């Protein structure tokens, strides 16, 4: 196999053979023919498995690993992940159904998210999944629904910590937030649960996501465990679980380095020891979405036109922001940067290259997949591949915008 070394850390996951990218071991043009039409998302099953193994190899054996379904809710992928991880975290009735359909034990499913509806609470309690409660009002609603169903809700208190993950791409904790219950309000919530006769199953603390800084992540894990210990002092019984958002990021942009899990694993050994000493029997679990699945997926679109405008080459494709909002730079990015991309059927190192912009078919200047990027020289019919597309891709995109057909998704 001739695999040229890509300059971009986000392109190192996929092998190349005979000038073609291999996804799930299948050359890209053959995969496109098999799928039958473009654009499509393809997720590499072997890479998903390998990634979970790699994370497990760095985590202490006592630490549980959960998959955040919202990162990629494709049912076949969730089914595959369900066999690899210890739990599935969902954030809607739709994701709950997908998780339950995998056949995993409902106690291994947790349901988080602000503003769960009555119907969602009822389905979750009836199914016996764990509710990550996000407010005192939600605790009351869960208790009332549990009474009506004759089922004691399994409740984990989601805490809005008084700190946040530094250098995090998306801040989810610290300050005033719609997520979780402020740490200082937790003692009152524990009394509320007591009064309602609901046993606390644990604490969930999520301080941020998409961090590439091992030190900052380790620090947030340590602080989260300390916070859980402090909050547990007000709990009546033993606390069964402490659930932390892992915060693990993947390299999307030029110059970003891969996250080093070794120091994070070493720090977690200390977290586990600290928990074991203070609260024996409490299990520590990490929750991750993007890191587990993001690098295993590609988005593939076909070049439908090649044109030159005032000296700049544009490759127009049949895919764009309606399928992949994040790659277009419109899903929370402050400054637009290119996701790693390539012409997947022209991967030979020696071919002609040129600087082009890759755009989609939508009538908006926002519909850009790559801006002035050096790629192999491509023409109509060639396949543009956007890497790092296994998380927050299709399900985070406005597929109805302009009414083009939805892309397909395949697990290879
Ligand atoms: C979204 C989310 C995650 C996963 O974040 P990733 O960056 O995909 O790992 C974990 N926990 C909670 C509570 C979340 O909302």
């Amino acid at each position: 196999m001739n695999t040229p070394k890509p300059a971009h850390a986000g392109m190192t996951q996929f092998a190349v053979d005979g000038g073609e990218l291999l996804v799930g071991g299948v050359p890209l043009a053959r995969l496109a023919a098999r799928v039958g039409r473009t654009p499509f998302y393809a997720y590499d099953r072997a890479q998903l498995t390998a990634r979970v193994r790699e994370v497990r190899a760095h985590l202490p054996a006592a630490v549980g690993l959960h998959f955040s379904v919202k990162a990629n809710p494709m049912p076949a992928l969730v089914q595959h992940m369900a066999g690899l991880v210890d739990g599935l975290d969902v954030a809607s009735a739709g994701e709950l159904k997908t998780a339950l359909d995998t056949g995993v034990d409902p106690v291994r499913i947790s349901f988080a998210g602000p503003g769960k509806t009555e119907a969602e609470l009822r389905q979750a309690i009836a199914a016996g999944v764990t509710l990550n409660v996000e407010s005192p009002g939600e605790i009351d609603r869960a208790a009332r629904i549990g009474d009506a169903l004759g089922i004691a809700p399994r409740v984990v208190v989601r805490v809005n910590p008084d700190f946040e993950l530094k250098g995090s791409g998306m801040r989810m904790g610290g300050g005033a937030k719609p997520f979780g219950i402020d740490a200082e309000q937790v003692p009152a919530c524990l009394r509320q649960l007591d009064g309602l006769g609901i046993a606390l199953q644990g604490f969930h603390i999520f301080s941020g996501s998409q961090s590439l800084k091992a030190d900052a992540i380790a620090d947030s894990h340590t602080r989260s465990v300390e916070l859980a210990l402090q909050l547990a002092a007000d709990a009546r019984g033993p606390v069964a679980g402490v659930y932390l958002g892992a915060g693990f990021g993947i390299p999307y942009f030029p110059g970003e380095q891969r996250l080093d899990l070794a120091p994070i694993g070493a720090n977690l050994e200390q977290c586990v020891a600290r928990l074991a000493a203070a609260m024996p029997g409490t299990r520590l679990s990490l929750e991750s979405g993007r890191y587990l699945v993001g690098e295993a997926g590609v988005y593939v679109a076909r070049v439908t036109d090649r044109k030159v405008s005032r000296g700049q080459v544009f490759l127009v494709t049949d895919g764009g922001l309606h399928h992949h909002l994040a790659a277009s730079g419109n899903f929370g990015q402050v400054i637009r940067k290119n996701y790693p991309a390539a012409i997947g059927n022209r991967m030979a190192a020696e071919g002609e290259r040129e600087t082009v912009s890759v755009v989609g078919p939508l009538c908006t200047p926002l519909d850009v997949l790559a801006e002035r990027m050096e790629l192999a020289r491509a023409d109509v019919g060639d396949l543009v591949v956007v890497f790092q597309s296994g998380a927050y891709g299709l399900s985070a995109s406005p597929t109805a915008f302009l009414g083009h057909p939805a892309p397909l998704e395949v697990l290879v």
Side-chain angles (χ1 to χ4, degrees):
M1 261 186 232
N2 128 54
T3 305
K5 213 178 234 124
H8 197 298
M11 286 175 62
T12 49
Q13 307 297 302
F14 289 86
V16 170
D17 190 26
E20 267 191 88
L21 194 76
L22 301 180
V23 182
V26 184
L28 190 67
R30 196 186 316 156
L31 179 62
R34 202 200 274 179
V35 173
R37 63 180 166 91
T38 51
F40 61 89
Y41 279 89
Y43 311 117
D44 188 316
R45 194 186 291 269
Q47 284 192 35
L48 296 168
T49 305
R51 178 53 61 96
V52 173
R53 290 224 176 94
E54 180 213 333
V55 174
R56 294 249 198 224
H58 283 96
L59 298 185
V63 172
L65 181 64
H66 291 216
F67 173 54
S68 300
V69 172
K70 81 165 186 285
N72 191 326
M74 183 213 190
L77 180 142
V78 176
Q79 182 76 59
H80 183 71
M81 296 303 287
L84 300 171
V85 297
D86 303 304
L88 299 175
D89 296 305
V90 302
S92 70
E95 290 185 3
L96 174 61
K97 181 178 184 314
T98 302
L100 288 169
D101 283 349
T102 65
V104 306
D105 187 339
V107 303
R108 297 204 286 135
I109 299 173
S110 56
F111 190 162
K116 297 177 199 71
T117 65
E118 292 269 324
E120 286 175 324
L121 290 169
R122 202 175 316 114
Q123 286 170 43
I125 294 167
V129 311
T130 302
L131 283 177
N132 290 347
V133 295
E134 308 253 355
S135 75
E138 195 165 86
I139 292 174
D140 277 335
R141 286 188 285 278
R144 178 167 42 71
I145 292 166
D147 277 346
L149 293 172
I151 300 169
R154 295 176 53 83
V155 166
V156 162
V157 169
R158 177 162 177 192
V159 182
N160 175 25
D162 44 9
F163 55 86
E164 62 190 358
L165 173 53
K166 288 188 212 81
S168 159
M170 237 168 259
R171 296 207 181 101
M172 301 282 289
K177 289 280 161 11
F179 312 110
I181 295 168
D182 293 350
E184 53 277 23
Q185 290 182 30
V186 168
C189 284
L190 298 181
R191 288 194 295 277
Q192 182 189 1
L193 286 170
D194 263 356
L196 293 163
I198 296 175
L200 175 76
Q201 301 293 327
F203 293 113
H204 172 107
I205 303 172
F206 185 62
S207 55
S209 142
Q210 180 48 26
S211 173
L212 292 170
K213 298 194 169 74
D215 291 352
I217 291 172
D219 182 55
S220 88
H221 291 167
T222 300
R223 295 175 72 171
S224 297
V225 166
E226 288 305 324
L227 178 58
L229 285 171
Q230 189 189 314
L231 296 172
D234 284 300
R236 209 167 43 166
V239 174
V242 172
Y243 305 88
L244 307 185
F248 301 169
I250 60 175
Y252 283 105
F253 305 122
E256 288 183 344
Q257 302 296 312
R258 312 196 71 77
L259 182 61
D260 181 6
L261 292 183
I264 294 171
N267 182 69
L268 282 167
E269 294 280 3
Q270 292 178 24
C271 291
V272 167
R274 173 92 175 94
L275 264 183
M279 296 200 300
T282 301
R283 176 142 204 230
L284 183 65
S285 298
L286 289 189
E287 209 171 77
S288 176
R290 189 190 310 269
Y291 192 82
L292 299 183
V293 301
E295 300 199 69
V298 289
Y299 174 62
V300 181
R302 198 178 290 279
V303 177
T304 50
D305 196 9
R306 178 196 158 88
K307 55 195 280 191
V308 181
S309 168
R310 308 220 160 100
Q312 207 183 319
V313 178
F314 287 88
L315 299 177
V316 187
T317 68
D318 56 5
L321 80 75
H322 52 316
H323 299 161
H324 201 335
L325 188 65
S328 77
N330 294 292
F331 189 57
Q333 294 95 323
V334 181
I335 301 165
R336 192 193 176 285
K337 291 183 197 154
N338 289 329
Y339 268 43
I343 307 300
N345 58 315
R346 297 186 187 274
M347 300 293 287
E350 59 276 6
E352 189 191 335
R353 297 180 72 78
E354 65 179 351
T355 296
V356 298
S357 291
V358 180
V359 301
L362 307 189
C363 304
T364 159
L366 301 177
D367 193 14
V368 175
L369 289 175
E371 195 171 359
R372 290 175 167 276
M373 185 185 250
E374 193 198 291
L375 294 173
R377 192 189 186 287
D379 220 321
V380 172
D382 284 332
L383 296 168
V384 173
V385 173
V386 181
F387 294 88
Q388 308 300 74
S389 297
Y392 306 105
L394 179 56
S395 69
S397 299
T399 48
F401 190 37
L402 269 84
H404 290 280
L408 296 172
E409 288 182 289
V410 287
L411 180 66
V412 199

